[in-house]
Amino acid sequence: MNPRRRRMLIPGLLIALLVVAAIASFTGRAEGAEERPVSRMSDPRITESSGLAVSRAHDDLAYTINDSGHDPVVYAVRISTGETVGVTRLDAHMTDPEALALHDGTLWVADTGDNAAVRDEIALLALPEPGPGDRSVTPDRYRVTLDSPADIEALLVDGAGVPHLVTKVIGSGAVYRLDDLSTESPVAAARLDITAPPLVTDAAFAPDGSSVVLLTYLGVHVLDADSWRTRATLPLPPLEQAETIAYTDPFHVLVGSEGENSPLYRVVLPAVASRELAAVPGLGLLVLLVARLSDQMR
Protein backbone atom coordinates (compact mmCIF):
# COMPACT_ATOMS: atom_id res chain seq x y z
CA MET A 1 0.00 0.00 0.00
CA ASN A 2 1.13 3.54 -0.71
CA PRO A 3 2.72 4.95 2.52
CA ARG A 4 0.68 8.16 2.30
CA ARG A 5 -2.56 6.23 1.95
CA ARG A 6 -1.54 4.02 4.88
CA ARG A 7 -1.05 7.10 7.08
CA MET A 8 -4.50 8.38 6.12
CA LEU A 9 -6.14 5.08 7.05
CA ILE A 10 -4.50 4.69 10.44
CA PRO A 11 -6.69 7.22 12.37
CA GLY A 12 -9.91 5.68 11.07
CA LEU A 13 -8.66 2.18 11.81
CA LEU A 14 -7.75 3.13 15.36
CA ILE A 15 -11.19 4.64 15.96
CA ALA A 16 -12.87 1.53 14.60
CA LEU A 17 -10.75 -0.70 16.80
CA LEU A 18 -11.57 1.39 19.85
CA VAL A 19 -15.29 1.10 19.14
CA VAL A 20 -15.10 -2.67 18.75
CA ALA A 21 -12.94 -3.04 21.86
CA ALA A 22 -15.27 -0.89 23.95
CA ILE A 23 -18.33 -2.90 22.95
CA ALA A 24 -16.54 -6.19 23.51
CA SER A 25 -15.37 -5.02 26.91
CA PHE A 26 -18.87 -3.89 27.87
CA THR A 27 -20.55 -7.14 26.87
CA GLY A 28 -17.84 -9.32 28.32
CA ARG A 29 -18.03 -8.22 31.93
CA ALA A 30 -18.39 -10.92 34.55
CA GLU A 31 -22.00 -11.61 35.37
CA GLY A 32 -23.60 -11.65 38.82
CA ALA A 33 -24.84 -9.34 41.54
CA GLU A 34 -22.82 -6.46 42.86
CA GLU A 35 -21.73 -6.89 46.47
CA ARG A 36 -23.54 -3.81 47.76
CA PRO A 37 -27.04 -2.60 46.91
CA VAL A 38 -27.37 0.37 44.60
CA SER A 39 -29.74 1.92 47.14
CA ARG A 40 -32.45 1.16 49.68
CA MET A 41 -36.09 2.23 49.47
CA SER A 42 -36.33 3.76 52.93
CA ASP A 43 -39.82 5.27 52.60
CA PRO A 44 -41.79 3.77 55.54
CA ARG A 45 -44.82 3.41 53.25
CA ILE A 46 -42.95 0.95 51.01
CA THR A 47 -42.93 -2.26 53.03
CA GLU A 48 -44.01 -4.94 50.54
CA SER A 49 -42.58 -3.89 47.20
CA SER A 50 -43.98 -6.39 44.73
CA GLY A 51 -43.48 -4.68 41.39
CA LEU A 52 -40.64 -2.75 39.75
CA ALA A 53 -40.36 -0.87 36.46
CA VAL A 54 -37.49 1.33 35.27
CA SER A 55 -38.38 4.52 33.40
CA ARG A 56 -37.04 5.19 29.90
CA ALA A 57 -38.37 8.75 29.93
CA HIS A 58 -36.82 9.88 33.23
CA ASP A 59 -33.21 9.22 34.19
CA ASP A 60 -32.55 7.42 37.47
CA LEU A 61 -36.23 6.70 38.10
CA ALA A 62 -38.14 3.52 38.87
CA TYR A 63 -41.65 2.71 40.03
CA THR A 64 -42.80 0.27 42.68
CA ILE A 65 -46.07 -0.79 44.32
CA ASN A 66 -47.00 -2.69 47.49
CA ASP A 67 -49.10 -5.82 47.26
CA SER A 68 -52.42 -6.61 49.00
CA GLY A 69 -53.44 -4.80 52.16
CA HIS A 70 -52.07 -1.41 51.13
CA ASP A 71 -53.42 1.72 49.48
CA PRO A 72 -53.54 1.64 45.66
CA VAL A 73 -50.44 3.78 45.23
CA VAL A 74 -47.52 3.71 42.77
CA TYR A 75 -44.29 5.19 44.14
CA ALA A 76 -41.66 6.87 41.95
CA VAL A 77 -38.19 6.24 43.40
CA ARG A 78 -34.71 7.53 42.58
CA ILE A 79 -32.68 4.43 41.76
CA SER A 80 -29.38 5.90 42.97
CA THR A 81 -30.68 7.00 46.38
CA GLY A 82 -33.90 5.07 47.06
CA GLU A 83 -35.68 8.37 47.75
CA THR A 84 -39.38 8.60 46.94
CA VAL A 85 -39.93 11.49 44.52
CA GLY A 86 -43.50 10.83 43.40
CA VAL A 87 -46.75 9.31 44.63
CA THR A 88 -49.52 8.37 42.20
CA ARG A 89 -52.77 7.36 43.83
CA LEU A 90 -54.91 5.08 41.66
CA ASP A 91 -58.65 5.69 41.74
CA ALA A 92 -59.38 1.99 41.38
CA HIS A 93 -60.07 -1.09 43.45
CA MET A 94 -57.29 -3.68 43.50
CA THR A 95 -57.32 -7.07 45.20
CA ASP A 96 -53.63 -8.00 45.10
CA PRO A 97 -51.27 -5.99 42.86
CA GLU A 98 -48.14 -8.01 42.22
CA ALA A 99 -46.19 -6.57 39.27
CA LEU A 100 -45.46 -3.52 37.14
CA ALA A 101 -44.31 -3.09 33.53
CA LEU A 102 -43.59 -0.09 31.34
CA HIS A 103 -44.04 0.11 27.57
CA ASP A 104 -44.20 3.09 25.25
CA GLY A 105 -45.21 5.57 27.95
CA THR A 106 -47.79 3.32 29.58
CA LEU A 107 -47.38 1.93 33.09
CA TRP A 108 -49.10 -1.42 33.56
CA VAL A 109 -50.17 -2.73 36.97
CA ALA A 110 -50.96 -6.42 37.40
CA ASP A 111 -53.77 -7.04 39.89
CA THR A 112 -53.17 -10.76 39.53
CA GLY A 113 -52.19 -12.12 42.94
CA ASP A 114 -54.24 -15.15 43.99
CA ASN A 115 -52.50 -17.17 46.69
CA ALA A 116 -55.56 -19.33 47.30
CA ALA A 117 -56.26 -19.77 43.55
CA VAL A 118 -59.91 -18.76 43.90
CA ARG A 119 -60.29 -15.64 41.74
CA ASP A 120 -62.68 -15.88 38.80
CA GLU A 121 -61.09 -12.81 37.22
CA ILE A 122 -57.84 -10.96 37.46
CA ALA A 123 -57.09 -7.57 35.95
CA LEU A 124 -54.50 -5.31 34.39
CA LEU A 125 -54.61 -1.57 34.98
CA ALA A 126 -52.97 0.92 32.62
CA LEU A 127 -52.09 4.58 33.08
CA PRO A 128 -49.75 7.12 31.48
CA GLU A 129 -46.28 6.93 33.02
CA PRO A 130 -46.54 9.37 35.94
CA GLY A 131 -42.95 10.52 36.48
CA PRO A 132 -41.98 12.49 39.61
CA GLY A 133 -44.55 14.44 41.61
CA ASP A 134 -47.85 13.62 43.30
CA ARG A 135 -51.16 13.06 41.55
CA SER A 136 -54.34 11.00 41.41
CA VAL A 137 -55.18 8.97 38.29
CA THR A 138 -58.09 6.84 37.14
CA PRO A 139 -56.47 3.98 35.20
CA ASP A 140 -57.99 1.91 32.44
CA ARG A 141 -59.01 -1.51 33.72
CA TYR A 142 -58.77 -4.69 31.64
CA ARG A 143 -60.40 -7.80 33.08
CA VAL A 144 -58.79 -11.16 32.31
CA THR A 145 -59.88 -14.77 32.73
CA LEU A 146 -57.61 -17.83 32.86
CA ASP A 147 -58.27 -21.44 31.95
CA SER A 148 -57.89 -22.20 35.68
CA PRO A 149 -57.25 -19.95 38.71
CA ALA A 150 -53.58 -19.36 39.48
CA ASP A 151 -51.38 -17.07 41.52
CA ILE A 152 -49.55 -14.68 39.18
CA GLU A 153 -46.79 -12.32 40.29
CA ALA A 154 -45.02 -11.71 36.97
CA LEU A 155 -46.09 -9.29 34.24
CA LEU A 156 -43.96 -8.50 31.20
CA VAL A 157 -44.79 -6.56 28.03
CA ASP A 158 -43.08 -7.39 24.74
CA GLY A 159 -41.82 -4.98 22.09
CA ALA A 160 -45.18 -4.99 20.33
CA GLY A 161 -46.90 -3.92 23.53
CA VAL A 162 -48.52 -7.30 24.26
CA PRO A 163 -48.68 -8.20 27.96
CA HIS A 164 -47.63 -11.65 29.17
CA LEU A 165 -48.24 -13.29 32.55
CA VAL A 166 -46.28 -16.06 34.28
CA THR A 167 -47.78 -18.17 37.06
CA LYS A 168 -46.14 -18.71 40.44
CA VAL A 169 -46.46 -22.39 41.33
CA ILE A 170 -44.33 -25.01 43.06
CA GLY A 171 -44.05 -27.06 39.88
CA SER A 172 -43.60 -25.88 36.29
CA GLY A 173 -45.19 -22.52 35.62
CA ALA A 174 -47.40 -21.44 32.74
CA VAL A 175 -47.04 -18.42 30.45
CA TYR A 176 -50.07 -16.54 29.12
CA ARG A 177 -50.36 -13.96 26.34
CA LEU A 178 -53.01 -11.23 26.42
CA ASP A 179 -54.14 -10.07 22.97
CA ASP A 180 -56.94 -7.64 22.17
CA LEU A 181 -57.54 -6.37 25.70
CA SER A 182 -60.81 -4.52 26.17
CA THR A 183 -62.19 -2.27 28.90
CA GLU A 184 -65.68 -3.44 27.97
CA SER A 185 -65.57 -7.17 28.68
CA PRO A 186 -63.18 -9.82 30.05
CA VAL A 187 -60.58 -11.32 27.72
CA ALA A 188 -59.48 -14.95 27.93
CA ALA A 189 -55.71 -15.26 28.32
CA ALA A 190 -54.05 -17.57 25.79
CA ARG A 191 -51.80 -20.19 27.36
CA LEU A 192 -48.54 -20.53 25.41
CA ASP A 193 -46.60 -23.72 24.83
CA ILE A 194 -43.89 -22.57 27.23
CA THR A 195 -42.80 -24.05 30.54
CA ALA A 196 -41.59 -21.62 33.18
CA PRO A 197 -39.51 -22.52 36.24
CA PRO A 198 -41.15 -22.89 39.66
CA LEU A 199 -41.98 -19.95 41.93
CA VAL A 200 -41.65 -17.07 39.47
CA THR A 201 -42.09 -13.81 41.40
CA ASP A 202 -41.41 -11.31 38.59
CA ALA A 203 -40.27 -11.08 34.97
CA ALA A 204 -39.32 -8.61 32.24
CA PHE A 205 -38.51 -8.34 28.55
CA ALA A 206 -35.18 -6.67 27.70
CA PRO A 207 -35.51 -3.13 26.26
CA ASP A 208 -34.07 -4.31 22.93
CA GLY A 209 -36.14 -7.50 22.85
CA SER A 210 -33.07 -9.74 23.00
CA SER A 211 -33.88 -11.64 26.18
CA VAL A 212 -36.27 -12.30 29.03
CA VAL A 213 -35.51 -12.51 32.74
CA LEU A 214 -37.54 -14.54 35.22
CA LEU A 215 -37.01 -14.01 38.94
CA THR A 216 -37.62 -16.92 41.30
CA TYR A 217 -36.75 -17.72 44.88
CA LEU A 218 -33.94 -19.84 43.43
CA GLY A 219 -32.22 -17.42 41.06
CA VAL A 220 -32.29 -15.01 38.12
CA HIS A 221 -33.08 -16.92 34.93
CA VAL A 222 -32.02 -15.40 31.60
CA LEU A 223 -33.99 -16.72 28.61
CA ASP A 224 -33.95 -16.26 24.85
CA ALA A 225 -36.84 -13.94 23.97
CA ASP A 226 -37.96 -16.03 20.97
CA SER A 227 -37.74 -19.58 22.25
CA TRP A 228 -37.89 -18.89 26.00
CA ARG A 229 -35.05 -21.37 26.42
CA THR A 230 -32.79 -20.75 29.39
CA ARG A 231 -29.43 -19.16 28.54
CA ALA A 232 -28.16 -18.90 32.11
CA THR A 233 -29.22 -18.97 35.74
CA LEU A 234 -27.55 -16.61 38.20
CA PRO A 235 -27.57 -16.74 42.01
CA LEU A 236 -29.71 -14.24 43.86
CA PRO A 237 -28.32 -11.20 45.64
CA PRO A 238 -28.61 -11.36 49.45
CA LEU A 239 -32.31 -10.50 49.66
CA GLU A 240 -34.88 -11.24 52.34
CA GLN A 241 -37.47 -12.22 49.74
CA ALA A 242 -36.75 -11.71 46.04
CA GLU A 243 -39.89 -10.18 44.54
CA THR A 244 -39.03 -7.65 41.82
CA ILE A 245 -36.86 -7.42 38.71
CA ALA A 246 -36.51 -4.84 35.92
CA TYR A 247 -34.02 -4.17 33.13
CA THR A 248 -32.00 -0.95 33.20
CA ASP A 249 -30.45 -1.88 29.82
CA PRO A 250 -29.99 -5.15 27.88
CA PHE A 251 -27.05 -6.18 30.09
CA HIS A 252 -28.19 -5.23 33.60
CA VAL A 253 -31.24 -5.69 35.82
CA LEU A 254 -32.30 -4.36 39.19
CA VAL A 255 -33.53 -6.93 41.69
CA GLY A 256 -35.52 -5.97 44.76
CA SER A 257 -37.10 -7.44 47.85
CA GLU A 258 -40.11 -7.10 50.09
CA GLY A 259 -39.64 -5.67 53.56
CA GLU A 260 -38.82 -2.35 55.16
CA ASN A 261 -35.78 -0.44 53.89
CA SER A 262 -35.66 -2.92 51.01
CA PRO A 263 -32.49 -2.93 48.87
CA LEU A 264 -32.13 -2.70 45.11
CA TYR A 265 -29.24 -4.76 43.72
CA ARG A 266 -27.80 -4.43 40.25
CA VAL A 267 -27.14 -7.76 38.52
CA VAL A 268 -24.83 -8.01 35.50
CA LEU A 269 -26.26 -10.48 33.01
CA PRO A 270 -24.17 -13.02 31.08
CA ALA A 271 -22.43 -11.85 27.91
CA VAL A 272 -24.83 -13.07 25.23
CA ALA A 273 -23.12 -10.74 22.81
CA SER A 274 -23.91 -12.30 19.45
CA ARG A 275 -27.45 -11.04 19.20
CA GLU A 276 -26.87 -7.71 20.87
CA LEU A 277 -23.82 -6.90 18.77
CA ALA A 278 -25.60 -7.91 15.59
CA ALA A 279 -28.31 -5.42 16.48
CA VAL A 280 -25.86 -2.49 16.54
CA PRO A 281 -26.33 -0.71 13.18
CA GLY A 282 -23.31 -1.15 10.93
CA LEU A 283 -21.21 -3.00 13.47
CA GLY A 284 -20.78 -6.10 11.34
CA LEU A 285 -19.63 -3.97 8.42
CA LEU A 286 -17.26 -2.10 10.74
CA VAL A 287 -15.66 -5.30 11.97
CA LEU A 288 -15.23 -6.53 8.38
CA LEU A 289 -13.69 -3.20 7.36
CA VAL A 290 -11.22 -3.31 10.24
CA ALA A 291 -10.18 -6.82 9.30
CA ARG A 292 -9.63 -5.92 5.62
CA LEU A 293 -7.72 -2.73 6.43
CA SER A 294 -5.55 -4.66 8.83
CA ASP A 295 -4.70 -7.19 6.12
CA GLN A 296 -3.84 -4.44 3.63
CA MET A 297 -1.54 -2.67 6.08
CA ARG A 298 0.64 -5.70 6.73
Side-chain angles (χ1 to χ4, degrees), residues 55-144:
S55 176
R56 309 290 168 215
H58 304 276
D59 290 339
D60 194 30
L61 194 71
Y63 303 96
T64 191
I65 192 169
N66 291 314
D67 62 14
S68 60
H70 296 79
D71 292 337
V73 171
V74 173
Y75 297 93
V77 177
R78 290 286 176 217
I79 297 171
S80 59
T81 66
E83 172 192 10
T84 297
V85 295
V87 175
T88 299
R89 181 170 293 274
L90 305 182
D91 184 13
H93 169 74
M94 288 192 290
T95 302
D96 188 4
E98 286 288 357
L100 297 176
L102 262 173
H103 180 267
D104 198 21
T106 296
L107 180 64
W108 293 85
V109 182
D111 180 12
T112 55
D114 189 10
N115 290 324
V118 295
R119 295 179 66 176
D120 294 328
E121 284 185 357
I122 55 178
L124 299 187
L125 289 78
L127 61 146
E129 180 180 350
D134 298 345
R135 60 189 53 80
S136 181
V137 174
T138 300
D140 292 329
R141 183 179 184 86
Y142 302 96
R143 293 178 291 156
V144 175

Side-chain angles (χ1 to χ4, degrees), residues 211-237:
S211 57
V212 170
V213 286
L214 301 179
L215 180 67
T216 74
Y217 293 141
L218 304 177
V220 175
H221 307 264
V222 185
L223 287 67
D224 178 80
D226 294 328
S227 66
W228 285 64
R229 292 180 180 174
T230 300
R231 291 175 174 174
T233 299
L234 307 178
L236 291 172

Side-chain angles (χ1 to χ4, degrees), residues 2 12 22 47-48 58 61 67 100 129 150 159-160 176 182 208 214 256 271 276 279 282 288:
N2 183 285
T47 58
E48 294 188 63
H58 304 276
L61 194 71
D67 62 14
L100 297 176
E129 180 180 350
Y176 292 90
S182 170
D208 66 351
L214 301 179
E276 285 79 358
L288 179 61

